[in-house]
Amino acid sequence: MHEIARRDPSLSPQKFRSNFFAKMFERYVQSKQESNFVDIPIEIKSDRDIYIHLIARTKHLVYVDAIKKMLLEMENK
């Protein structure tokens, strides 16, 4: 919606936000020494790219992988 100032103008604002969120999440997890939370980013290519981040405990990765697989399968339809 609104243009974001970014170093790499080839990055879309959505991709920039996705990368920014991933870095902020990584910094937070490291600062709190939380090793049992993970960020699973998903990129869906369509008429406009969609970026999703699934945050989960490592013990729930099986469920998150199933959700990710379902979302990516929907991309192909």
Side-chain angles (χ1 to χ4, degrees):
M1 291 181 7
H2 300 289
E3 197 61 30
I4 297 174
R6 51 197 185 276
R7 290 184 185 162
D8 183 355
S10 68
L11 283 180
S12 70
Q14 294 81 7
K15 179 68 175 170
F16 177 82
R17 287 184 184 109
S18 178
N19 291 347
F20 183 70
F21 176 83
K23 285 291 184 192
M24 293 301 291
F25 179 82
E26 181 182 317
R27 290 178 89 178
Y28 177 81
V29 168
Q30 287 176 354
S31 73
K32 300 295 181 184
Q33 298 176 343
E34 290 284 350
S35 61
N36 62 339
F37 286 97
V38 291
D39 171 27
I40 292 77
I42 302 171
E43 184 176 343
I44 298 174
K45 299 283 188 181
S46 63
D47 55 335
R48 67 182 183 108
D49 296 342
I50 299 169
Y51 300 90
I52 301 169
H53 289 262
L54 301 175
I55 308 297
R57 295 179 193 278
T58 53
K59 67 182 180 180
H60 297 132
L61 282 179
V62 174
Y63 306 112
V64 173
D65 286 338
I67 293 168
K68 180 179 179 177
K69 181 179 177 189
M70 181 188 68
L71 288 170
L72 292 174
E73 286 173 359
M74 288 173 39
E75 173 187 23
N76 297 326
K77 292 184 179 182

